[in-house]
Amino acid sequence: MVRYEYRCPACGPWSVALPMGAAEAHRSCPTCGDPSPRRWSAPLLNRMDPAVARERLREEASRDVPEVVTSVPQAARRRARRDPRQARLPRP
Ligand SMILES: [Zn+2]
């Protein structure tokens, strides 16, 4: 089922779910019965959060053209704290 939109000149926009391709150019308004012309609209696609969309685009781009870094990122420079118990372990 596809949701088609119509616009009644007196009552305003309304929509109806019909099988694909079954929409007519004009349909009777469910409120007043006047013929309403079909209104073209965008398909019902979910809008994504802009931050998520930006990261997905960046992820896709990194598949073919990965970002080039010239230095080690700051977080990777930190050394892990040594555990004092490791000092007592036998050395090879
Ligand atoms: Zn109407």
Side-chain angles (χ1 to χ4, degrees), residues 77-92:
R77 287 186 181 166
R78 274 186 268 139
R79 303 191 100 202
R81 219 181 307 165
R82 300 192 75 180
D83 189 346
R85 294 175 292 185
Q86 291 179 343
R88 288 184 277 159
L89 293 175
R91 300 284 173 210

Side-chain angles (χ1 to χ4, degrees), residues 2 4 6 13 18 30 32 34 41 44 55 59 61 63 66-68 77-78 80 87 89:
V2 181
Y4 294 99
Y6 292 87
L18 297 170
C32 66
D34 285 350
S41 59
L44 290 176
E55 288 304 313
E59 177 191 354
R63 291 181 192 156
E67 292 179 14
V68 176
R77 287 186 181 166
R78 274 186 268 139
L89 293 175

